[in-house]
Amino acid sequence: MKIKKMNATFGKLDKATLTLGEGLNIIQAPNEGGKSTWSAFLRAMLYGIPTNQRDKTGFLAEKNRYSPWSGAPMEGVMDLDWNGRRIFLRRRAKGNSPFGELDAVDGADGEPVPELTAETAGPLLVGAEREVFERSAFMGQASLSVDASPMLEKRISGLLSSGLEEISFSEVERRLKDWQNRRKHNRTGLIPKLEEEIRQESELLARFARARGQQEEGLRDLDRLRAEKTELEEEKKAHKILTEQKKWLQYKEAYEAYQSAKTEYQEAAELFQNLPAKEKLLVAQSDLRALGTMTE
């Protein structure tokens, strides 16, 4: 980030402008000339003004200390270069919070820069949180001594352990242990859970394979039974045909016997149709026996 110009209505500054050049800029002015006010304005443009501060004996909250003397609303504009882009930041009041609203606009096309908000502008532009910035790059006139800060200690610890401000060896180690415990701690964690799921899935796959084998065997049996059924149906048809043939032969033989008997009956009827009556035959039979007796 490179700051080019600042416009401020902030404390004693009333629509004042500060233009900065290349390299190191040193502002030289008499006492009460506004040097510390510009410094505080820069911090406020980046990180806003704390709303939780209260006036105490010998101490004014920042929102009251830098309230514009002219009575105008507190506001400011910052012209800067960031990541190869020309950016204009504007802060103004939001409700009861001075400098609580921030607008970031791209100087090239006038489009908003959504990643820069009232909360994220300082950390993104500077690369450090407010408390780290106040104890390292920013040294106010009333706070030349640096007190303890967990965030600053974290960054220093990161530099000592990993060589990077944003990465702490102890945090990385703790996170890796947390990840390890989360993934596998004795018989609990994600890995045992996944292993159990894999085991269950393997059992399901084995059961599915067995069922598939049984299904294939059943399909083969079904095909065999269908073939047997077709063969039996063909045999049934053949037996039916044979049975019909036997019945036809029996019928034919019976019909021929009937015709033969009928013919014989007709012949016998014709032969015996002129026979005498039974009584006459009986008398003739009696006479024949008498004749035989007489012959003897």
Side-chain angles (χ1 to χ4, degrees):
M1 177 187 68
K2 183 182 295 185
I3 302 173
K4 304 175 73 67
K5 183 188 293 186
M6 295 187 293
N7 300 94
T9 300
F10 188 82
K12 69 172 295 179
L13 304 175
D14 185 18
K15 298 181 182 180
T17 299
L18 178 63
T19 303
L20 302 175
E22 295 290 334
L24 176 64
N25 287 259
I26 299 176
I27 300 175
Q28 183 176 359
N31 290 337
E32 303 301 328
K35 302 184 295 297
S36 60
T37 305
W38 277 114
S39 179
F41 173 77
L42 170 61
R43 180 181 58 187
M45 284 297 297
L46 293 172
Y47 297 98
I49 293 179
T51 57
N52 57 352
Q53 290 182 351
R54 297 293 182 267
D55 293 341
K56 300 177 182 178
T57 303
F59 174 81
L60 285 177
E62 193 171 328
K63 60 183 178 181
N64 296 325
R65 188 189 318 167
Y66 296 109
S67 179
W69 295 2
S70 64
M74 185 186 296
E75 61 181 359
V77 178
M78 182 183 291
D79 178 3
L80 55 90
D81 289 336
W82 179 58
N83 291 339
R85 302 167 66 184
R86 184 79 175 272
I87 305 294
F88 291 95
L89 297 183
R90 182 186 178 189
R91 276 193 184 267
R92 56 182 178 272
K94 181 179 181 181
N96 295 326
S97 174
F99 272 26
E101 184 171 348
L102 181 140
D103 296 325
V105 178
D106 192 318
D109 53 17
E111 292 294 325
V113 183
E115 60 266 35
L116 294 176
T117 65
E119 293 76 21
T120 63
L124 285 178
L125 294 172
V126 177
E129 300 295 333
R130 180 188 181 101
E131 61 182 29
V132 176
F133 175 71
E134 288 179 335
R135 290 165 175 79
S136 56
F138 182 87
M139 299 295 291
Q141 182 179 6
S143 56
L144 293 177
S145 61
V146 179
D147 54 357
S149 166
M151 187 67 68
L152 182 59
E153 290 176 1
K154 176 181 175 182
R155 285 182 172 255
I156 294 174
S157 176
L159 284 172
L160 292 174
S161 59
S162 65
L164 298 173
E165 289 185 52
E166 297 82 4
I167 301 175
S168 170
F169 172 78
S170 59
E171 279 197 0
V172 172
E173 184 182 27
R174 184 170 59 254
R175 184 173 297 179
L176 288 175
K177 286 183 179 179
D178 291 342
W179 286 353
Q180 183 181 25
N181 291 334
R182 184 167 177 261
R183 280 152 180 78
K184 187 172 185 181
H185 178 68
N186 296 330
R187 295 184 179 180
T188 62
L190 295 177
I191 293 178
K193 182 179 178 181
L194 290 175
E195 289 175 347
E196 177 63 21
E197 291 180 359
I198 291 172
R199 186 188 65 78
Q200 294 178 1
E201 294 294 335
S202 299
E203 290 182 357
L204 288 176
L205 288 174
R207 291 170 57 187
F208 176 76
R210 290 194 297 270
R212 184 64 179 270
Q214 293 174 356
Q215 182 189 27
E216 292 177 352
E217 184 178 356
L219 289 175
R220 289 193 294 269
D221 291 341
L222 181 61
D223 292 338
R224 177 177 56 80
L225 291 174
R226 283 175 176 171
E228 291 181 2
K229 178 184 177 183
T230 302
E231 183 178 354
L232 289 174
E233 288 178 347
E234 294 295 331
E235 291 181 359
K236 179 181 177 182
K237 290 180 181 179
H239 284 296
K240 184 177 181 180
I241 293 173
L242 290 174
T243 302
E244 295 295 331
Q245 288 178 349
K246 287 180 180 179
K247 289 182 179 179
W248 169 250
L249 290 175
Q250 291 175 356
Y251 170 78
K252 183 179 179 182
E253 290 175 356
Y255 183 76
E256 290 176 351
Y258 165 75
Q259 292 294 338
S260 176
K262 183 177 179 181
T263 302
E264 291 179 358
Y265 170 77
Q266 290 177 351
E267 291 176 352
E270 290 177 359
L271 179 62
F272 296 105
Q273 64 180 352
N274 296 320
L275 289 177
K278 183 176 180 181
E279 291 79 7
K280 291 182 178 181
L281 289 175
L282 290 174
V283 172
Q285 186 177 10
S286 177
D287 292 343
L288 182 59
R289 283 196 301 269
L291 178 61
T293 301
M294 291 174 65
T295 300
E296 292 177 357

